[in-house]
Amino acid sequence: MRSFFFPFILTGLLSAEEPGPPVEAVVDLVEFYCVDCHGGGIEKGGLDLEALLEKPLTGHSDIWEKALLRLDTRQMPPPDEERPDEEEYQAIVAALSGQLDRAAKNSPQVGRGETLRRLTRTEYRNAVRDLLGLEVDVSELLPKDDSSHGFDNVTVSNLSPTLLNRYLTAAQKISRLAVGNAPASPEGRVFRLPPDRTQEKHVPGLPLGTRGGVLLPHTFPVAGTYEVSLRLTRDRDEMVEGLYEDHEVEVLVDGERKSLMTVSRPKGRKDFTQVDANLKCLIEVPAGPAELGVTFVAKPPKLLENKREPYDASYNRHRHPRQSPALYQVSIVGPMERSEMQPFGVLAETGLSPEDERAAAEKILRPLVRRAYRREVDDEDLARPLEFFEEARGEGFQAGMEAALAAVLVSPRFLFRVEDDPEGLPSGTVYPLDDFAIASRLSFFLWSSLPDDQLLDLAAAGQLSQPEVLTRQAQRMLTDRRADSLVTNFADQWLHLRNLDSIAPDLRLFPDFDDNLRQSFRRETELLFETVMREDRPVVDLLTADFTFLDERLAVHYGIPGIYGSRFRRVPLEKDSQRGGLLRQGSFLAVSSYANRTSPVIRGNWVLETILGTPTPPPPPDIPALDDSVVSAKLPMRERLAAHSAKPACATCHDLMDPIGFALENYDAVGRWRSFEEAVPVDSLGGLPDGRTFQGVEPLIAGLAERPDLFARALTEKLLTYALGRGLEASDQPAIREILRGAADNDYLFSELVLGIVRSQPFTMSQTR
């Protein structure tokens, strides 16, 4: 079918200074629209394309942006249709993008998010850390945030009564910790380890010569004596598996041994109920954040007589029994007695006499409130916290400060990021954000936390909005350790690493999988992203890296020799290695599989969405999943999937997804390399949307790396979505193209994308409702 697109170019929508392509192009917009409608066609879509060609471009930019995206990724027309050559493609893309960019310049639209945006759970934790110096486990205090557009900072405009109560409770606990005020009675906290965690080897952060256990961050509210109680893991018969002899259990605080206890096998080898009843100790600790370690003193390894090599996973008595006892639970209760020691936190060194308590309180609160509210504060801002201080200080200065801090932490000015429209502007007016709003956007983008004093000082002076100042601040912030939030918050969501916690491969098929491997998967990917960010490498290195990060557990899983110990280290890879880059890492390969098999569909769609930025539409509601009871599970994956995707409503999207996914079929559902499946050679014949076909993962990655602009655009879109806290619109695409043009000359370095976003109109401007 001939395209409507070339006549569109010729009908005067392009300026005379920028003529259309020199030769006729065949671009099937009808096919493009059918891709989005699962074969529904023009009538089902309700779109009159011929009439659309005669209408102003600005009124239908969303449709033309979709067409441009499909053209740029060579997804239209389909490979079996007549297609332009590469020169024609480039000319068409340049012509249409140029016209869209000029239309956007003449009629600027920058979009806007919610006026009120609540801090996410992660942002709240980081804000408390930077405001009060406290590391708080917010998962115990606040519920998980819902995600939209791939991130949990998008749907955060509401504050239900239930959630408000949670924030009130959190504020009370945090403010008490911050001032070092002892609770009325001893309080407890319980940590439980995942049931599928193997504890036969050393845990990073704990002393060498130990095995298993856990290292826990914990804040002791006051100096004093605390009780630490331990419980060991039991099997379904309530027996402590692996307890064949005496074992020593060590309790440490910040690496210093506080207690050494012994656990013994009960006499008669039957009743294990009291084995850990006496695993309790009293420890004396100072107030403040600390790392509490509980671990076993390692014993010399024993030679196990097995007919085959034992599994690395050891946590289930039926398939891979524990060789030694393991820790299940740690309880901390206290303070049992309080010591007279120097307090920590906001009251540690006030330098003021307690006689002038109100002046002392105001001196402490003023800089805290400024950082908490992310702007300059006046006496009116301090009035409410000081009112709470006055009401509570009858019970002491600490009690008054506790009440004042709680008032700050539940204030809407702290919990919400507010971007009000200037008064008097008509609806739809584009305007620059004030410096304090830019400071908040910048800090929550790069740090997931509050602006620091340097940002606030520049905002107060009206200098932060200056492009050169904004650039220097973004560069400074990227080198700060707080930028690690781009790894643990942005990348974990963008790359679906948070889904690792919920994957549970079928243990009959993958008996060697445990929580240790799950966490190693996550750490490998995080370290790769962190390296690209910290070393400011081209972002395509995320796909093509010739190195990876391994500990012994992951190296054994991948079949890479010579890696020992629990420490992750950077490992160079041979040219023909089966590892290196996101698409060859266990994290991606596991989260894109089912419990019992791989999924070329999920993997292919993941690449389309994450790497190319062209997600397929959701399947129609009446399309069932692949049914092994109808399609034999013993058939090769390509034949099984063919029976499912043969339906016309499915074929259009599957033709895009499946070839990419099949190129990754040499990796099983837990990321191991395989050449055979069920004694049949793995069929890894794959392809890309531009029609190229190839065998295996190497040419797939090479094909993706040939167009670094596509991956850079997809990553930029995700970064901008995360930075703005809203879904992107067609009006954002001209700004994205401008960012990419600026980054292209520098090989799409990570910093170039970030700085381009920070300087862009969608980031520094807003639009009235």
Side-chain angles (χ1 to χ4, degrees), residues 578 665-667 672-677 679-683:
Q578 300 153 355
E665 270 296 281
N666 281 115
Y667 298 101
R672 296 177 304 191
W673 182 265
R674 59 182 182 176
S675 298
F676 293 87
E677 182 184 17
V680 176
V682 169
D683 182 359

Side-chain angles (χ1 to χ4, degrees), residues 183-206:
S185 59
E187 292 186 345
R189 187 180 179 193
V190 177
F191 302 89
R192 286 182 179 168
L193 279 66
D196 60 343
R197 180 170 296 178
T198 298
Q199 299 185 43
E200 306 297 341
K201 296 185 179 180
H202 175 256
V203 173
L206 291 172

Side-chain angles (χ1 to χ4, degrees), residues 134-152:
L134 295 176
E135 289 285 355
V136 179
D137 186 0
V138 291
S139 63
E140 298 178 353
L141 302 174
L142 301 174
K144 182 180 178 181
D145 298 298
D146 294 329
S147 294
S148 179
H149 300 280
F151 300 102
D152 61 9

Side-chain angles (χ1 to χ4, degrees), residues 210-530:
T210 63
R211 64 148 191 96
V214 68
L215 187 64
L216 303 167
H218 180 68
T219 299
F220 295 94
V222 296
T225 303
Y226 293 79
E227 182 184 75
V228 177
S229 309
L230 312 180
R231 183 168 173 80
L232 302 180
T233 300
R234 287 164 165 75
D235 60 23
R236 66 178 62 181
D237 295 325
E238 290 299 313
M239 296 180 65
V240 177
E241 194 173 7
L243 184 57
Y244 306 113
E245 57 183 324
D246 291 354
H247 288 263
E248 292 182 316
V249 186
E250 194 172 7
V251 177
L252 310 101
V253 176
D254 290 335
E256 179 185 353
R257 178 185 286 180
K258 294 291 184 177
S259 179
L260 184 66
M261 298 173 282
T262 301
V263 57
S264 303
R265 185 177 180 86
K267 296 179 180 179
R269 302 188 176 186
K270 292 293 184 181
D271 185 6
F272 283 77
T273 57
Q274 299 300 311
V275 162
D276 47 15
N278 295 319
L279 289 183
K280 299 179 181 180
C281 63
L282 294 176
I283 60 174
E284 186 81 15
V285 294
E291 288 191 325
L292 176 70
V294 180
T295 184
F296 297 88
V297 177
K299 291 179 176 291
K302 296 179 180 179
L303 181 63
L304 299 178
E305 295 185 5
N306 288 284
K307 293 182 179 180
R308 58 182 181 180
E309 185 177 353
Y311 295 126
D312 285 303
S314 299
Y315 66 90
N316 181 293
R317 77 174 188 182
H318 294 289
R319 300 191 179 277
H320 25 58
R322 295 189 186 274
Q323 302 164 32
S324 308
L327 187 67
Y328 166 65
Q329 178 178 289
V330 180
S331 302
I332 306 171
V333 179
M336 314 305 288
E337 294 181 4
R338 180 170 180 171
S339 302
E340 293 297 331
M341 300 177 68
Q342 179 70 26
F344 80 101
V346 297
L347 303 186
E349 296 180 6
T350 62
L352 295 173
S353 170
E355 284 78 15
D356 192 0
E357 291 184 341
R358 183 179 176 88
E362 185 172 344
K363 182 174 182 179
I364 294 170
L365 286 171
R366 188 173 291 276
L368 283 174
V369 172
R370 181 179 187 247
R371 293 199 299 271
Y373 294 175
R374 284 94 67 185
R375 58 172 174 77
E376 293 297 288
V377 296
D378 52 26
D379 292 342
E380 184 178 349
D381 293 310
L382 293 175
R384 189 65 173 167
L386 286 174
E387 180 181 337
F388 277 87
F389 170 79
E390 292 290 353
E391 290 179 359
R393 72 166 173 165
E395 299 178 15
F397 184 74
Q398 284 182 302
M401 286 303 303
E402 179 183 330
L405 286 179
V408 173
L409 294 178
V410 296
S411 170
R413 299 165 190 168
F414 172 71
L415 291 178
F416 284 90
R417 295 167 55 190
V418 183
E419 292 182 1
D420 284 324
D421 293 335
E423 296 183 1
L425 292 182
S427 176
T429 302
V430 175
Y431 66 90
L433 293 171
D434 67 61
D435 285 56
F436 286 108
I438 292 175
S440 283
R441 281 197 177 188
L442 186 60
S443 64
F444 281 102
F445 171 33
L446 299 182
W447 290 347
S448 297
S449 185
L450 308 172
D452 63 2
D453 286 333
Q454 189 172 155
L455 280 178
L456 293 176
D457 290 343
L458 289 169
Q463 298 176 7
L464 187 59
S465 55
Q466 299 173 13
E468 64 278 6
V469 175
L470 189 58
T471 298
R472 286 198 300 270
Q473 287 301 306
Q475 291 171 329
R476 172 184 72 88
M477 296 171 71
L478 277 174
T479 63
D480 193 284
R481 293 310 306 177
R482 283 170 284 188
D484 284 344
S485 68
L486 284 174
V487 179
T488 58
N489 199 20
F490 168 75
D492 274 13
Q493 295 185 80
W494 171 51
L495 299 174
H496 303 181
L497 299 185
R498 292 185 179 180
N499 294 354
L500 282 169
D501 291 335
S502 61
I503 67 166
D506 188 334
L507 291 182
R508 293 169 297 180
L509 301 175
F510 310 105
D512 210 22
F513 189 89
D514 59 2
D515 185 66
N516 309 58
L517 187 58
R518 183 185 289 116
Q519 300 309 320
S520 293
F521 280 169
R522 179 196 298 269
R523 192 66 186 137
E524 177 192 23
T525 302
E526 288 179 341
L527 286 170
L528 174 62
F529 187 90
E530 182 180 356

Side-chain angles (χ1 to χ4, degrees), residues 15 27 33 70-71 131 213 307 365 409 422 505 534 551 582 591 594 625 699 753:
S15 67
V27 181
Y33 193 69
R70 301 293 180 182
L71 285 165
L131 184 66
K307 293 182 179 180
L365 286 171
L409 294 178
R534 294 292 179 192
D551 63 354
L582 294 174
V591 299
Y594 292 111
L753 300 186

Side-chain angles (χ1 to χ4, degrees), residues 516-590:
N516 309 58
L517 187 58
R518 183 185 289 116
Q519 300 309 320
S520 293
F521 280 169
R522 179 196 298 269
R523 192 66 186 137
E524 177 192 23
T525 302
E526 288 179 341
L527 286 170
L528 174 62
F529 187 90
E530 182 180 356
T531 299
V532 170
M533 179 183 75
R534 294 292 179 192
E535 297 180 3
D536 198 17
R537 302 169 69 98
V539 295
V540 76
D541 284 6
L542 289 169
L543 302 178
T544 62
D546 58 358
F547 60 90
T548 192
F549 294 87
L550 301 172
D551 63 354
E552 182 178 353
R553 180 73 179 85
L554 190 56
V556 170
H557 184 73
Y558 286 165
I560 297 177
I563 307 298
Y564 302 101
S566 61
R567 178 181 62 87
F568 266 88
R569 78 289 318 256
R570 183 166 170 166
V571 179
L573 299 170
E574 300 293 335
K575 189 174 181 179
D576 59 349
S577 175
Q578 300 153 355
R579 302 297 162 181
L582 294 174
L583 299 188
R584 293 182 281 197
Q585 291 189 341
S587 59
F588 152 67
L589 297 165

